[in-house]
Amino acid sequence: MTRSTLDHLFVHVTDLAASYEFYVKRLGLTALMEEPGYLRVGSLDHGFYMGMEERHGDHVGSVGIEIVIHVPDVDRLSRELVAAGIVVIGPDDQAWGARHAWTHDPSAYRISTFSPIAEPAEPAEPAEPARGACTRRYPGHA
């Protein structure tokens, strides 16, 4: 049996130019397709993408939708967004191993950006003393 796959997300936005600025210039996604009235953003190395068309009024937005974007450094991105006057909550470490920050796009969709929490480096094993080296420690000497 052939399995279904999740292919893309499609949303209506209030301003395609502002959405381009936010998703491509600020968040670092790739503009995969630009046509009059349509923008597609995503990543060149992942198949999933988000398509957008400009609409107005009740045709834009939906409560309960959160668009989640994996970024290389959520702390750096959050500082850049705040410096640009964009309100950001977080970033905060989450129990599932990711560091998330939340904001809203120009059409008021809730956006979560995240990076995996860096795993602490393993403590280095003490080096074996060189053959014949003195390993005796004397009080008062390191």
Side-chain angles (χ1 to χ4, degrees):
M1 178 175 130
T2 304
R3 306 292 277 167
S4 299
T5 60
L6 191 59
D7 187 70
H8 68 278
L9 171 67
F10 182 81
V11 296
H12 293 155
V13 298
T14 55
D15 184 334
L16 273 177
S19 295
Y20 179 93
E21 176 70 23
F22 182 78
Y23 287 101
V24 176
K25 299 292 187 181
R26 300 257 183 232
L27 299 186
L29 293 175
T30 301
L32 301 171
M33 180 185 291
E34 293 179 77
E35 296 179 354
Y38 181 77
L39 172 65
R40 181 182 295 170
V41 298
S43 170
L44 294 175
D45 56 348
H46 290 69
F48 191 84
Y49 65 89
M50 182 168 65
M52 296 175 240
E53 283 185 358
E54 192 168 305
R55 299 289 164 85
H56 299 283
D58 294 341
H59 297 280
V60 177
S62 182
V63 175
I65 289 179
E66 181 173 285
I67 300 167
V68 182
I69 301 170
H70 182 191
V71 298
D73 185 342
V74 70
D75 291 281
R76 180 192 53 75
L77 176 63
S78 296
R79 287 190 302 273
E80 290 172 359
L81 293 175
V82 168
I86 298 170
V87 175
V88 175
I89 298 171
D92 296 306
D93 291 349
Q94 303 301 313
W96 51 87
R99 187 162 172 77
H100 280 257
W102 292 267
T103 191
H104 287 87
D105 79 355
S107 297
Y109 288 104
R110 181 177 162 105
I111 306 298
S112 174
T113 55
F114 81 95
S115 297
I117 296 172
E119 300 216 7
E122 293 290 323
E125 292 290 325
E128 291 290 323
R131 187 171 179 95
C134 179
T135 59
R136 176 177 268 177
R137 300 286 180 233
Y138 298 94
H141 295 86

